[in-house]
Amino acid sequence: MLEIVQLSKRFGGLVVTNDVSFTVQSGSISALIGPNGAGKTTIFAQISGFHQPDGGDIRFEGQSIIGLTPERICLRGIARTFQIVQPFAGLNVRENIAVGAHLHRAGRRAALEHAESIAHRVGLGAQLDKPAAALTVAGRKRLELAKALSTDPKLLLLDEVMAGLNPAEIDEIIPIIRGIRQSGVTILLIEHVMRAVMNLSDHTWVLNNGRLIASGTPAQIATDPQVIEAYLGHGAAARMQAQRTGVHHA
Amino acid sequence: MRILIAILVFFLALLPLPLLIHSDFWITWLTLALFYAYLGQAWNLLGGYGGQFSFGHALFFGTGAYCTAVLQIQFGVNAWGGFVLAAVAAGIVGAGTGWLVFRYGLRGSYFALVTLAFAEVFRILANTFSFTGAGVGLLVPLQPGIAQMQFETKAGFFWLLLLLVVGCLLFTWWMQNARFGARLMAVRENEDAARALGVDPFSTKLLAITASGAIAGSAGAVYVQLFLYIDPNIAYGPAMSVEALLVPIIGGLGTIFGPVLGAFALHAIAEIGQLVFGEAPGLNLVLYGLLLVVMVLFLPNGLFGLGRVGFGSGALRRLFKRSAHA
C-alpha cells in the first residue's frame, strides 16, 4: 500500500533520512521504532507532505506522492497525528473532529454526526462539548487520533499517540487502535512504548541515525543484537522476551 | 436557532427607532454606529474567524468608495449599480492582495504590515491621479431619492445600514455553521493541523479576504452616498482601518454579534471622549490606542467574552506577543 523507496533527507549537513526503504502492507499494523533523534518523525513528515525529501520516492497505492501538499495527501487517504498534539484550542471537541469530517462531507449536520461517532469510537463521547484546551494529556492524544480518523483515511500515521500516558490509559488505547485496523484502516505507528509495539504490530522497522538497522516481527526485533545495542538495551529486551514467552520475571 | 432569534430580536428592536426618536443627533449617531458595525463585520470575517489581522481594511473600504463615486460622477452609473460594482472591485482587490500575501505564507504581524502598506500605496495613488480627484477629492452630486441611494432623511440610511448589518449577521451565522467556516476557524487555530486534515489554507484564506474585502467595499459605497464626499485620506487613511479592527476586537473577535456590540460601545466611548477632551484632532486615535491596549491585556475576548470561556482569544495575544519578539 505504501512503498518508501530509498528515501533521503538532509537538514544542512545532517543526514536525517539515509536511504530508507520499506513497504507497508495493506491492512497491517506496522511500527517504526528507534531512539530519539533517529529520524522517525521526519519520515512521517515526508510521507504526509510537510517535508520534501531530497531523494527517493514515496508511493501510495502505486502512485508517487512526492511534491503533493499535505492537504492533497490527506485527500488521497493518508492521515497523520502529531507527536506534539495540535488541537484547535479555541474549538470544542466536536468542532475539532468535524474539521476532518468535512473533508468528504460538505454538510454541517453530516460532519457533526460523523465527528460524534468518531468521538465515541476513541472514548471521547462524554467530552464532545468541552473546549479542546480543557482536555487532559490523554484526552488530547485521543483527540489527535479522532481528528486524523475523521478524514476517513486508508492509511493512518500515528506519531507516539501513547507517549505521556499511564499504563492504564495505554491499556485503553490499544484496543481502540486494533479496532481501527479491523475497520479496514492500515496503520503505521511510531512508538516508544514497547509493550504496545509487541502487542499491536505485525511488522516492525528499527531506525537509528536515519538508517534502517533491522526489520521483522516484533519478536525477531527483540532478539536482534544490533537493536538491543542501539535502542532497547539488555533489560528491556529480556522483558520483551519474557512477555512473548509468557514467563514473568519478578 | 437561538442565534437566529437573537438576530430577529435585534432587527425588530432597531427597526422602529427612527419613528420613535426625533432627535437628528441620535439618529445620526445610531446610523454611524451601524455603519462601523458593518465595516467591523467585514473585518471580523477575516480577522475574527480567519485569524488574519488586517491593519489596512481602508484598502477595501476606499476602493469601494472610489469605485462608486468615480462611476457615478464620470460614467453616470446608478448608485445601486455602483454599490454592487464597489463590492466586486473591493473583492477583486482583496483577492489580489490575498493571493500575493498568502502565497508567500505571510502571517501575523507580517500580514498586518503588508495590508497597512497596500492601503498606503492606494492612498498615494488616489492622491496622484486626476480621475480620483487627486488630493481635492470627489464631490458626489446630491440627488435625493431612493433611486440614487440617497435619502431625504437620515432614517433612510439608518434602515439601509440596518438591513446590511442584519444581512451580514445572517451571513456570519451561516458561515459559522458551514464547511467554509469550520475550515477558516481551523486555519485560525492551527494552520499545520488544518493542513493535516485536508484543509487548503491558501484557498480558505483567499476566499475569506475576498468576502471581507467585498463587504468593506460595499460599506465604502454607502459612506459615499451618506457624506457625498471622499478624499484619499478618508478613503485609504489609517483612521478607517483602525475603526474596522477596533470594533470587532472590542466587541468580541470571531463572534456573530461582536462587531455590532463593539461599534455601539466604541462610539459611545468616542462620544464621551469628545465631550471630555473637546475636538482636538487626533485625540480620539490616542483614546483608541489606549482602548486597544486595555482590551488586549484584560479582555482579549472582547465585551462579548465577558463571563464566557475564550473563543479565538489566543489569536490576539499571539499576534502581539509575536510582534513583541519579532
Side-chain angles (χ1 to χ4, degrees), chain A residues 50 69-71 74 79-80 82 86-91 95-96 99-100 102-106 108 131 147-148 151, chain B residues 176-179 182-183 185-202 309-312:
Chain A
F50 282 90
T69 58
E71 52 271 23
C74 182
R80 72 171 289 189
F82 289 91
Q86 310 273 359
F88 304 120
L91 308 182
E95 291 165 336
N96 261 272
V99 174
H102 269 307
L103 183 65
H104 296 295
R105 287 168 195 79
R108 187 67 179 159
K147 278 160 61 193
T151 62
Chain B
Q176 201 171 295
N177 293 295
R179 170 151 80 175
R183 289 181 165 170
M185 286 187 270
V187 167
R188 170 190 74 195
E189 295 294 327
N190 190 327
E191 205 166 307
D192 278 343
R195 299 189 82 182
L197 298 181
V199 177
D200 177 1
F202 177 72
V309 185
F311 183 65

Side-chain angles (χ1 to χ4, degrees), chain B residues 36-256:
Chain B
Y36 287 113
Y38 187 53
L39 192 63
Q41 284 176 317
W43 192 94
N44 191 38
L45 270 188
L46 181 67
Y49 285 95
Q52 311 300 314
F53 285 68
S54 152
F55 275 39
H57 249 54
L59 173 63
F60 312 124
F61 166 83
T63 302
Y66 269 116
C67 178
T68 193
V70 168
L71 285 173
Q72 202 171 346
I73 295 165
Q74 318 268 10
F75 304 98
V77 174
N78 174 279
W80 292 98
F83 174 81
V84 173
L85 291 172
V88 172
I92 290 171
V93 170
T97 315
W99 188 79
L100 275 174
V101 176
F102 297 138
R103 211 166 84 99
Y104 295 104
L106 296 183
R107 308 184 199 177
S109 33
Y110 300 100
F111 173 76
L113 285 174
V114 170
T115 51
L116 184 68
F118 268 108
E120 275 302 290
V121 168
F122 272 63
R123 189 178 65 82
I124 292 162
L125 289 177
N127 236 326
T128 311
F129 290 109
S130 60
F131 76 95
T132 57
V136 182
L138 290 173
L139 269 170
V140 176
L142 180 67
Q143 299 161 293
I146 290 179
Q148 283 298 337
M149 207 198 256
Q150 294 173 8
F151 303 93
E152 314 265 344
T153 62
K154 281 279 185 281
F157 279 107
F158 175 86
W159 280 318
L160 172 66
L161 279 160
L162 180 61
L163 281 180
L164 290 173
V165 167
V166 168
C168 223
L169 286 173
L170 290 171
F171 176 73
T172 314
W173 170 80
W174 166 83
M175 194 193 77
Q176 201 171 295
N177 293 295
R179 170 151 80 175
F180 172 65
R183 289 181 165 170
L184 190 58
M185 286 187 270
V187 167
R188 170 190 74 195
E189 295 294 327
N190 190 327
E191 205 166 307
D192 278 343
R195 299 189 82 182
L197 298 181
V199 177
D200 177 1
F202 177 72
S203 64
T204 305
K205 289 191 281 189
L206 197 61
L207 216 57
I209 198 173
T210 307
S212 179
I215 295 170
S218 69
V222 175
Y223 183 96
V224 164
Q225 303 309 329
L226 186 56
F227 290 96
L228 300 171
Y229 174 71
I230 193 81
D231 72 17
N233 280 322
I234 297 172
Y236 291 118
M240 209 50 87
S241 299
V242 171
E243 295 269 3
L245 71 93
L246 211 50
V247 158
I249 287 177
I250 286 178
L253 280 173
T255 61
I256 293 175

Side-chain angles (χ1 to χ4, degrees), chain A residues 45-69:
Chain A
Q46 291 171 79
I47 299 171
S48 54
F50 282 90
H51 286 326
Q52 290 306 315
D54 294 322
D57 199 6
I58 301 169
R59 272 193 265 272
F60 180 62
E61 296 182 316
Q63 280 182 306
S64 175
I65 54 169
I66 300 276
L68 293 183
T69 58

